[in-house]
Amino acid sequence: MIDEEFPVASARLATWIQRYREGLRRRPVAPTTTPGAVRAMLPAAAPEQPESLTAIIEDLDRVISPHLLHWQHPSFFGYFPANADLASVLGDMVSGGLGVQGMLWSTSPACTELEMHMMDWCADLLGLPGQFKSSGAGGGVIQDTASSAALCALVAARERASDGAMNARGIGAGAGGRPLAVYASSQAHSSIEKAVRIAGLGSASMRRIDVDDSLSMRSHELARAMRRDQEDGIVPCFVVATVGSTSTMAMDDLASTAKLCRQFGAWLHVDAALAGCAAICPELRALHDGLEGADSYCTNPHKWLGVNFDCDLFYVRDRSALVGALGIEPEYLKNAATASGEVIDYRDWQVPLGRRFRALKLWFLLRLQGAEALRGRVRASCGLAQWLVARLAELPHIEVLSPQRLGLVCLRHRDGEQATAGLLAAINASGKAFVTHTRVPWPGSGSQASCTLRVSIGNPYTLQSDLEGILHLLASAG
Amino acid sequence: MIDEEFPVASARLATWIQRYREGLRRRPVAPTTTPGAVRAMLPAAAPEQPESLTAIIEDLDRVISPHLLHWQHPSFFGYFPANADLASVLGDMVSGGLGVQGMLWSTSPACTELEMHMMDWCADLLGLPGQFKSSGAGGGVIQDTASSAALCALVAARERASDGAMNARGIGAGAGGRPLAVYASSQAHSSIEKAVRIAGLGSASMRRIDVDDSLSMRSHELARAMRRDQEDGIVPCFVVATVGSTSTMAMDDLASTAKLCRQFGAWLHVDAALAGCAAICPELRALHDGLEGADSYCTNPHKWLGVNFDCDLFYVRDRSALVGALGIEPEYLKNAATASGEVIDYRDWQVPLGRRFRALKLWFLLRLQGAEALRGRVRASCGLAQWLVARLAELPHIEVLSPQRLGLVCLRHRDGEQATAGLLAAINASGKAFVTHTRVPWPGSGSQASCTLRVSIGNPYTLQSDLEGILHLLASAG
C-alpha cells in the first residue's frame, strides 16, 4: 500500500467497522472458539509480497470477527463497559497519522499541552478537587490503565516515605530503616497487589482490610491495622480507597480514610477506575466526597465514557513526588525547554519512556459528542439498572445485592451456589447476553463469599429489550 | 456524531492525514513553540454540546500541527526513527473499531491468538532462536515499550532468583537472604535503571560496566563485577546486553555475556529496541549472534519497521517465570479456558490488566507491505548512512564515530565541544533537518565523554537530497 491509497483504504475499513457495529445485535455476544482454532486458520509465515486490502477484509470476516467476545455488543454485560465510541476512534486515527512521540514537551509541544489541558477539562467535568489541577503543585497524566496508575502512585508514595532512599538503595533501605505497609479493602482490585509485588514490597506487606455489609472498608479496622504496624516499627505508607469495586461497585468512605492517612502520614490513592467517570453527572458526584484528602486519584474514560482503550486519567496532588520517583534524564533527552523548568515532561510520570498522542481521542470524543450527551449515557445506564432491579423484584427465586449502585446489578439464585453458576452458564450459552461472575460475602454472611452474577450495564446502545433476554432466562430458572 | 457518520468523517480525516504526510517536506521539522502557547489557544472548558468535525479539523491545522515536532518528516534525524506506516494505522483503526479487550484468551480468543501468531511470524522474520517460539516453554507478547519489557524481565528474573520469595516477602527477602545485583553497560538505556528503581532494587544495586573503544561492554569487567558481588554475598541476578544503544548503536557481545550469565546463574535480557528489527535482513542478522543464550529479548517494530506506536515485541525463554511473577487471578476473571491450561492469558505477561488488539497493526503492516519491502527500507536507511559517512569524509573539520552502524551516524566538530554544540543548534534552527545529541567517550579518550551529534536515519521517505541540508550546514562550519 502506498500513502496515496490511504483515504480509500480507510474508507473501506470505516464502512466495515460501521457495519460490524450496526450488525452486533445479530451476532451471539460470545464466541464458541476452541483453543488454537484461530491460529489454525492463519498461514505459518508472514507474506513476502504485499497482499490486498480485500484479502485482509475477508480475513476480518472469516478469521477475526467470529472469534471475538463482542465488547461493543448492546447485550454485553460482562466485566465492565469498555465503550469505544467511534468519535474517539477518529481521534486515535489522527494520533497514528501524526505519528509523534510525546515523551518530552519538546518532542511535540502540542502533544503535552493538549494532554495537560484535557486533564484539566476532565477534572472540571468530574468536579475533582483543586489539588489535581495543573495550575498548582499537582496535575494529571494519561496512563494506559488503572493498574499502571496504582504502580506509579505506589512508587511515588514509597519515595515520599523514604525520602528518596528507596530509589537509591532499594526497598531494603526502608523508611529510616523501617519496612513499609500497604492497605486496601478485601474488595480492592487485583492490580493493587500486583503493584505491591512489582514495586518489590511483597504481598506480605499488604493488609487486606475487612469490609462491612455494604462491602466498604471498615475504617476502624484500617485504623487498627495502621496502629498495629506503627507499634511494630512498620511504616503505614500507602492506602488505596476504592470508589466502585470491580466485583460489586462497592464504595469506600474517602473522608474517614483520608483522615487516617493524614494521621499516620500515609499516601492516599483513590481507585475510581470505573465509577469515577459517573461524576460527570453532578447528581452522582457524592461518590467523590472526601476526595480532597487524597494524594492521587484515577478513573478510566475508556470504560463507561467511551474513549477508545487505553485512557486512564491519573492525577496527583504533588507532581514532584512522582517525578522524583520516576525521573531519569539521560544526555540524549536533555533539551532547553526541560532545563528551563517551564514545561512538563510526561516521560517522568509513567513507566514507559515513549508515549503516543492519546489526548486526541479524548478531545475528539468530548468535542464530537459534548459533555451533555455523555451525562445522558451515564444516566441511561443507571436508569436501566434500576429498571432491571425492579423487574427482578418480581422473581422470588432471585436475590439482588443491596445497595445496587450505578450500572451494576449483582444477584444470586436463592437455591445457592450451584443454581447461580447454572444461571451464568445458561445466559452465556444462549448467546443473547454475556455476563460474568464474582464471589463476595453477602450481607449477614460474615466473610463467607458466595457465587454472584454480575450484570454490568454501560453500553449507550443497550435498550430495555436487550435486557429482556437475561430476564427471561432468570425467570425460567424459577 | 452518530455511528452512521463514521465512514464519511473518517474519510475526511484520512484525507487530512494523507495531505499532512505529503506536505511534510514543506514544513520546518521542529516547531518554535513557547511553553503554554498551545494551551492559550484552547477554550477553558469542555463543550457542553457537540461541535462539528470541521471545527476540529480547523484546530488540527491551527492549534495542533504547527506545534509538533514532525517525527514522520523525511528530514527528521533525531532520537530514533518512529515510523508509523499508514498500513499499520489502518490496523489500529480496526482495533479501535472492534473495541475488544485481550486481557484473557477468553475475553477475545482471536486477539490472543493473532498476537501469539504475529510473535511467531516476527521471530521467524528476524531469525530469532527457537527458545522464543510459542511452541515450546517460551513465547512472546506485545508490550508498549522496551521500558516495560525490561521491567517485566527484571521482575521475572527476581522471582526466579528468589524462588518466589520476593513476590511474597519483598526485595528484603533477597535470594536466600542475599541481596541481588543488576548489570548493564555504561551505554545501556535509562529504562534499565528506571526498571531497577521501580522494582525496588534501588539504583545502588545496579553495576554500570565499562565499555571498550567500540562502546561494547567489556566482558572481563562484567565477569569481575559478578565475581566480586558473589564473593560479597550478593547474587548476580540480571544482566542486560544492549544490541544497538540509543546513543551510538553500540553492540554488546551476546555470546560472551551469555556464557557469564550461565556461569553465575543470572538472567540475560537482550535489549535490541531499535537495532533488532534490522535482522529482518539476513545479511544483518549477525547482530543477534549468541542470542540463543538469552532468557529474554525485545525489539520495537514501532521504530524502524513502521508499526504505529506502541508495539514492542518481548520474548521469553520460560514463560512460567514471567507468569509466576505477574500472575494474580481474582475470582471475576476465572473462566473455563484458563482453568483448562490450554490457553495463554496475556494479562499475566505485562503490568496492566487491560489490553487492546495491538496485533492487528502488525498484521496489517506485514500483509499490506510484505516482508521484502520492509527489508528494502532497512537496506535503504543503511545505504543512506554509508553515503553520508562517505560525504562527511570530505569535510576535514568533521570526525565520524567509528564503527558506524546501521542507520546511525555519530559525529563531532574537531574544534571541540562548543563547535559541536554550535552545529546542533545551527542544524535545528535551520528547520531543514532535526538532529539530537549525546555525550559519549570517543575512542582513545578513556572515560572522558564528549558532545556528539547523532544523525539517525530510518524514515522510508528520506532521500539523499534530504541529507543535503545537513551536509551543507556541516560543510559551512568548516
Side-chain angles (χ1 to χ4, degrees), chain A residues 4 12 24 32 141 149 222 265-269 345 363 370 386 388 402 407 416 424 471:
Chain A
E4 287 65 31
R12 287 183 66 189
L24 280 170
T32 53
V141 63
L222 174 62
W267 181 292
L268 174 57
H269 176 65
D345 292 325
W363 196 43
Q386 285 156 17
L388 180 64
S402 175
L424 175 77
L471 270 169

Side-chain angles (χ1 to χ4, degrees), chain A residues 179-456:
Chain A
L180 308 183
V182 171
Y183 310 79
S185 102
S186 63
Q187 302 302 305
H189 194 266
S190 57
S191 58
I192 309 304
E193 186 178 341
K194 192 165 177 174
V196 166
R197 285 194 196 172
I198 292 170
L201 277 85
S203 295
S205 71
M206 180 152 179
R207 321 293 182 226
R208 287 288 197 169
I209 309 299
D210 251 8
V211 292
D212 62 20
D213 267 357
S214 65
L215 303 174
S216 306
M217 181 156 64
R218 290 181 194 270
S219 278
H220 67 271
E221 294 286 350
L222 174 62
R224 195 191 317 207
M226 293 171 92
R227 206 172 315 116
R228 195 168 41 220
D229 278 329
Q230 207 172 45
E231 287 163 9
D232 290 350
I234 295 168
V235 175
C237 168
F238 188 66
V239 178
V240 177
T242 304
V243 172
S245 68
T246 305
S247 270
T248 66
M249 200 67 77
M251 306 270 176
D252 292 335
D253 183 319
L254 301 185
S256 65
T257 310
K259 195 173 156 201
L260 287 171
C261 288
R262 255 195 316 280
Q263 186 184 330
F264 286 91
W267 181 292
L268 174 57
H269 176 65
V270 175
D271 177 1
L274 170 55
C277 287
I280 194 172
C281 300
E283 73 274 19
L284 296 174
R285 219 159 266 174
L287 57 85
H288 284 155
D289 279 354
L291 186 58
E292 56 283 357
D295 294 289
S296 55
Y297 167 86
C298 75
T299 190
N300 292 351
H302 67 227
K303 289 194 163 97
W304 208 348
L305 223 51
V307 180
N308 177 28
F309 186 89
D310 45 2
C311 183
D312 166 88
L313 307 179
F314 175 52
Y315 293 94
V316 290
R317 171 193 294 278
D318 172 15
R319 57 181 180 256
S320 72
L322 188 65
V323 173
L326 295 173
I328 297 184
E329 191 178 46
E331 181 66 31
Y332 51 82
L333 295 180
K334 288 185 181 167
N335 66 88
T338 300
S340 78
E342 284 175 46
V343 300
I344 274 180
D345 292 325
Y346 274 133
R347 76 188 163 103
D348 296 332
W349 295 53
Q350 62 176 20
V351 174
L353 170 58
R355 56 201 328 270
R356 64 203 307 256
F357 200 162
R358 282 188 290 211
L360 283 172
K361 58 189 175 188
L362 190 51
W363 196 43
F364 270 63
L365 178 77
L366 292 172
R367 295 186 69 180
L368 287 173
Q369 302 299 5
E372 197 47 40
L374 300 182
R375 281 184 206 109
R377 293 177 183 189
V378 168
R379 287 171 184 141
S381 307
C382 295
L384 280 172
Q386 285 156 17
W387 174 84
L388 180 64
V389 169
R391 294 289 307 272
L392 290 171
E394 299 160 16
L395 304 180
H397 57 290
I398 298 295
E399 189 179 3
V400 172
L401 185 69
S402 175
Q404 181 275 324
R405 288 199 177 96
L406 302 175
L408 181 65
V409 179
C410 293
L411 56 94
R412 63 179 177 183
H413 197 298
R414 289 189 196 271
D415 287 354
E417 300 284 292
Q418 228 172 336
T420 302
L423 284 174
L424 175 77
I427 291 171
N428 289 347
S430 77
K432 291 201 180 112
F434 180 81
V435 294
T436 52
H437 79 290
T438 188
R439 292 186 71 83
V440 285
W442 282 58
S445 62
S447 61
Q448 176 84 34
S450 68
C451 182
T452 304
L453 207 145
R454 303 168 66 259
V455 185
S456 165

Side-chain angles (χ1 to χ4, degrees), chain A residues 1 3 6 9-10 13-14 17-18 20-21 33 35-39 42-48 50-51 56 59 64 67-69 71-72 79 84 86-87 89-90 92-93 96-101 103 105 107-110 113-114 116-117 120-121 134 144-145 147 158 166-168 170-171 189-190 194 197-204 246-247 308-309 325-328 330-332 334 343 347 350-356 363-364 366-372 375 437-439 461, chain B residues 1 3 6-7 9-10 13-14 17-18 20-21 33 35-39 42-48 50-51 56 59 64 67-69 71-72 79 84 86-87 89-90 92-93 96-101 105 107-110 113-114 116-117 120-121 134 144-145 147 158 166-168 170-171 189-190 194 197-204 246-247 308-309 325-328 330-332 334 343 347 350-356 363-364 366-372 375 437-439 461:
Chain A
M1 191 191 89
D3 285 3
F6 178 65
S10 95
L13 287 168
I17 289 167
Q18 197 254 321
Y20 166 78
R21 292 284 181 105
T33 313
V38 174
R39 294 198 66 177
L42 295 165
E48 283 295 310
E51 297 182 22
I56 295 180
D59 281 349
I64 304 298
H67 300 287
L68 298 173
L69 173 61
W71 286 68
Q72 307 304 315
Y79 307 106
L86 293 178
V89 174
L90 292 174
D92 219 9
M93 177 179 156
L98 292 173
V100 300
Q101 276 286 339
M103 55 204 187
W105 179 89
T107 60
S108 271
E113 295 204 10
L114 187 66
M116 290 172 73
H117 210 71
D120 280 353
W121 272 17
S134 63
D144 53 5
T145 61
S147 302
R158 199 178 75 178
M166 289 190 176
N167 251 357
I171 296 294
H189 194 266
S190 57
K194 192 165 177 174
R197 285 194 196 172
I198 292 170
L201 277 85
S203 295
T246 305
S247 270
N308 177 28
F309 186 89
L326 295 173
I328 297 184
E331 181 66 31
Y332 51 82
K334 288 185 181 167
V343 300
R347 76 188 163 103
Q350 62 176 20
V351 174
L353 170 58
R355 56 201 328 270
R356 64 203 307 256
W363 196 43
F364 270 63
L366 292 172
R367 295 186 69 180
L368 287 173
Q369 302 299 5
E372 197 47 40
R375 281 184 206 109
H437 79 290
T438 188
R439 292 186 71 83
Y461 296 92
Chain B
M1 190 192 87
D3 285 2
F6 178 65
S10 92
L13 288 168
I17 289 167
Q18 197 253 321
Y20 166 78
R21 292 283 181 107
T33 312
V38 175
R39 296 197 67 177
L42 296 165
E48 283 295 310
E51 297 181 23
I56 295 180
D59 281 350
I64 303 299
H67 300 285
L68 298 174
L69 174 60
W71 287 68
Q72 306 305 314
Y79 308 107
L86 293 178
V89 174
L90 292 175
D92 217 10
M93 176 179 157
L98 293 172
V100 299
Q101 276 286 340
W105 179 88
T107 60
S108 272
E113 294 203 11
L114 187 67
M116 290 172 73
H117 211 72
D120 279 353
W121 272 16
S134 63
D144 53 4
T145 60
S147 302
R158 198 179 75 178
M166 288 191 178
N167 251 356
I171 295 294
H189 194 265
S190 57
K194 192 164 176 175
R197 285 194 196 173
I198 293 170
L201 277 85
S203 296
T246 305
S247 270
N308 177 26
F309 186 87
L326 294 173
I328 296 184
E331 181 66 31
Y332 51 81
K334 288 184 180 167
V343 301
R347 76 188 163 101
Q350 61 175 21
V351 173
L353 171 56
R355 57 201 327 271
R356 66 203 306 255
W363 196 43
F364 270 62
L366 292 172
R367 295 185 69 180
L368 286 173
Q369 302 298 5
E372 198 46 41
R375 283 186 205 107
H437 78 291
T438 187
R439 292 186 72 82
Y461 295 92

